[in-house]
Amino acid sequence: MNRPSWDTYFFTLAEHAASRATCPRLSVGAVVVRGKRVLSTGYNGAPAGEPHCTHPIDVPCTQAIHAEWNALDAQFGPYDGATMYLTHSPCQSCQRRIIDAGIARVVYRTAYRDPDLTQLERFGITVEHQPKTPDIERFKQALRETRVVHPNWPNWPY
């Protein structure tokens, strides 16, 4: 059996989290993991109870809460020593939240704009850029072919 690496597996979960994003400008997903166990997930979008973002795609969003903030909800912590998997590199504000939460490692797929991640590195957080590889595409295809369905997610994975 050809199983995906743990990083590939958690990135796939982050991509699924991103599919829930409500901001039309960019869909971002986050997964927080410690000891190969998922602690929490998050995606970007309007605050709970608010209407979804409706601005044009080329206009910066001022309404959405970032995926990192949603994933680092206090009720699912503590996050000391955890790894955060992101579909996109974190902004400066999210980096400060990551530092404050005690995250030890940040792994991201896509560089958003021109990311300056030295703030994370200054605080001893390991930062890794892992661009999408054919491995994750093979894993997603295998899920589609086997029609894996989780009982709580009737349409998962697609």
Side-chain angles (χ1 to χ4, degrees), residues 3 12 19 28 31 37 39-40 43 57 73 80 86 94 99-101 103-104 111 121 132-133 137 139 153 158:
R3 296 173 65 186
T12 302
S19 71
V28 180
V31 175
R37 303 272 182 192
L39 300 177
S40 62
Y43 53 87
I57 292 175
D73 190 316
D80 295 331
L86 296 163
C94 288
I99 292 164
D100 188 53
I103 298 292
E121 293 165 348
K132 191 178 267 191
T133 63
E137 295 307 317
F139 177 59
W153 303 327
Y158 300 100

Side-chain angles (χ1 to χ4, degrees), residues 114-126:
D114 184 21
D116 177 6
L117 305 172
T118 56
Q119 183 176 204
L120 294 174
E121 293 165 348
R122 225 176 32 247
F123 281 86
I125 297 171
T126 301

Side-chain angles (χ1 to χ4, degrees), residues 33-68:
V33 176
R34 186 174 47 234
K36 298 178 184 161
R37 303 272 182 192
V38 174
L39 300 177
S40 62
T41 64
Y43 53 87
N44 61 318
E50 292 292 317
H52 297 322
C53 304
T54 58
H55 57 81
I57 292 175
D58 59 343
V59 175
C61 183
T62 58
Q63 182 181 0
I65 296 174
H66 291 192
E68 298 89 334

